[in-house]
Amino acid sequence: MSSENLPQSPEQPLRKPRVAVVFGGRSSEHGISVVTAGAVLSAIDRSKYDVLPIGITTDGRWALTADEPERMAIADRRMPSVAEIADSVEGGVVLPVDPGNREVVYSEPGSVPKALGEVDVVFPMLHGPYGEDGTLQGLLELSGVPYVGSGVLASAVGQDKDYMKRVFASFGLNVGPYLVIRPREWRQDEAGARQRIADFAGEHGWPLFIKPARAGSSIGITKVDSFDGLDEAIAEAQHHDPKIIVEALLRGREIECGVLEFEDGPRASVPAEIPPVQSHDYYDFEAKYIDSTPGIVPAPLTPEQTAEIQRLAVEAFEAASCEGLVRADFFLTEDGRFVINEINTMPGFTPISMYPQMWEKSGVSYPELVDRLIQAALDRSTGLR
């Protein structure tokens, strides 16, 4: 009998790619990560993708959460948390660590573990340490699961302001004056560390910005105008990271530029300007997320300045070996130079965040931006590349 006459089994319908949106986390940026994930969940095209929301609580538990983006917004000036939207106070999600198995499992104490199906790609909406810094990316590399955004090295460099500035300087990008105080130095010679800061202030003047070296969203940052507030500022920064960075004031305009990886390589968006928030001394967490003033998109720059910042943003993306997306933050100083402040490998991603706004004005809508990032991750292999 020829194979042509054998009964044919019915064709199985093609399964939609499943996207695990991972958010929350153990860092100080837990709340804004939840807000960001809610916006992304609202934008994912459900006709193209299945979605699995996974929240990480502040104590590190991976929780299954309801797919209810409306519960993940800022309400009454208060940030949401994973604990508030988790399906269970004890149940946990386990990702596979076998590259040949992408099955996600959910278990609760005293119950039989339940398979949740395979995950094809992870959209990690984590900000700060324990997620944006290469730790989650390393886990996903071990698991062989594709993910949105930069790999282990670029994520780590993008999180650590010390090494980020070293990389940029080595590639010829302008960075502002800064000083790093490492935890061992502070423990062993507090007086010596204070003297280094005093010498730095003597050279560059007051005010100074005291920051956690590995945090974002302007959390833990203090502007100090004299020695009087220095100890309190150091304690605040060390509450978020034992390694701190001291930066001199750069006088100028704050300009941001988005970078997105296309099929032919990274491209830059139109830039945006962050105007001063009159009720805040600088662009701190509340100014950024609670009392925010709309950014100016596109930024009022000359064509030459726009072209220059776009070139520099792509150069920063390449210097740190980034993938997928980056928001590059600059100062346009009074003498006309662009000085890079930092990059964000997973920037704020709500529709009103600067990164999506810059791409909206560049012709890429919010849903299209989310889709492009997912597709790029699905097309990219894990491992060395």
Side-chain angles (χ1 to χ4, degrees):
M1 177 182 272
S2 75
S3 61
E4 293 178 352
N5 297 321
L6 289 173
Q8 303 294 310
S9 59
E11 287 189 12
Q12 295 296 317
L14 289 175
R15 182 175 66 84
K16 290 185 289 188
R18 173 174 263 195
V19 182
V21 179
V22 180
F23 59 94
R26 293 162 55 192
S27 83
S28 304
E29 298 174 75
H30 178 97
I32 195 60
S33 172
V34 178
V35 174
T36 298
V40 169
L41 286 168
S42 296
I44 292 178
D45 185 347
R46 304 309 174 94
S47 69
K48 290 179 65 174
Y49 307 105
D50 286 327
V51 176
L52 179 66
I54 300 174
I56 302 177
T57 62
T58 53
D59 60 1
R61 179 173 62 92
W62 290 50
L64 197 62
T65 69
D67 186 6
E68 298 176 359
E70 65 277 4
R71 295 175 59 194
M72 301 164 71
I74 299 172
D76 298 323
R77 300 175 65 88
R78 183 175 168 274
M79 289 287 173
S81 72
V82 169
E84 295 169 342
I85 58 173
D87 285 353
S88 164
V89 296
E90 294 183 312
V93 175
V94 179
L95 287 181
V97 291
D98 176 1
N101 173 27
R102 295 182 180 175
E103 189 88 30
V104 175
V105 174
Y106 176 76
S107 63
E108 291 193 50
S111 300
V112 176
K114 180 173 68 173
L116 299 178
E118 292 189 348
V119 165
D120 298 290
V121 63
V122 169
F123 204 134
M125 302 309 305
L126 295 153
H127 301 307
Y130 313 111
E132 190 183 352
D133 59 350
T135 49
L136 177 62
Q137 290 75 14
L139 173 63
L140 296 173
E141 291 286 353
L142 289 173
S143 304
V145 179
Y147 54 92
V148 170
S150 289
V152 175
L153 173 65
S155 297
V157 168
Q159 188 63 48
D160 191 316
K161 295 177 176 64
D162 174 14
Y163 286 95
M164 183 197 307
K165 291 176 187 292
R166 292 171 185 262
V167 167
F168 291 155
S170 74
F171 276 81
L173 292 160
N174 292 324
V175 299
Y178 72 99
L179 171 71
V180 175
I181 304 293
R182 290 175 172 78
R184 184 183 296 130
E185 177 185 2
W186 185 256
R187 287 195 306 268
Q188 295 179 348
D189 187 8
E190 235 179 80
R194 281 196 184 87
Q195 186 58 52
R196 287 183 64 209
I197 297 174
D199 293 343
F200 184 81
E203 182 179 358
H204 300 287
W206 299 93
L208 300 178
F209 290 90
I210 313 299
K211 302 180 177 182
R214 294 163 292 191
S217 297
S218 300
I219 288 175
I221 297 176
T222 307
K223 179 184 176 185
V224 291
D225 297 304
S226 69
F227 285 109
D228 292 342
L230 186 59
D231 283 357
E232 186 177 347
I234 290 171
E236 171 62 17
Q238 289 176 333
H239 176 70
H240 301 278
D241 185 351
K243 177 180 175 181
I244 66 171
I245 190 164
V246 181
E247 294 180 349
L249 174 68
L250 288 173
R251 300 188 185 280
R253 298 159 60 189
E254 292 191 47
I255 310 291
E256 299 182 348
C257 191
V259 180
L260 179 64
E261 197 166 14
F262 287 77
E263 292 77 10
D264 59 350
R267 302 181 199 170
S269 69
V270 300
E273 181 166 3
I274 307 300
V277 180
Q278 298 303 321
S279 57
H280 293 260
D281 197 23
Y282 64 98
Y283 199 42
D284 61 5
F285 180 85
E286 289 206 349
K288 187 174 288 187
Y289 294 110
I290 307 297
D291 302 320
S292 58
T293 299
I296 304 169
V297 190
L301 300 171
T302 67
E304 293 77 18
Q305 288 173 325
T306 296
E308 176 68 358
I309 195 172
Q310 289 174 325
R311 181 187 70 80
L312 292 172
V314 171
E315 193 171 321
F317 181 96
E318 298 280 39
S321 297
C322 295
E323 295 170 287
L325 73 163
V326 148
R327 193 193 72 229
D329 301 347
F330 294 83
F331 289 102
L332 177 55
T333 61
E334 293 175 342
D335 60 0
R337 295 180 307 131
F338 282 110
V339 177
I340 190 162
N341 183 35
E342 63 180 18
I343 57 170
N344 257 271
T345 55
M346 188 52 70
F349 218 88
T350 69
I352 63 169
S353 297
M354 294 313 303
Y355 184 85
Q357 282 195 62
M358 289 186 286
W359 279 108
E360 181 83 38
K361 293 293 186 180
S362 303
V364 181
S365 69
Y366 189 84
E368 184 185 350
L369 183 59
V370 170
D371 185 71
R372 178 171 286 279
L373 289 168
I374 293 171
Q375 284 298 320
L378 285 168
D379 292 341
R380 188 173 66 230
S381 65
T382 54
L384 298 177
R385 52 189 182 271

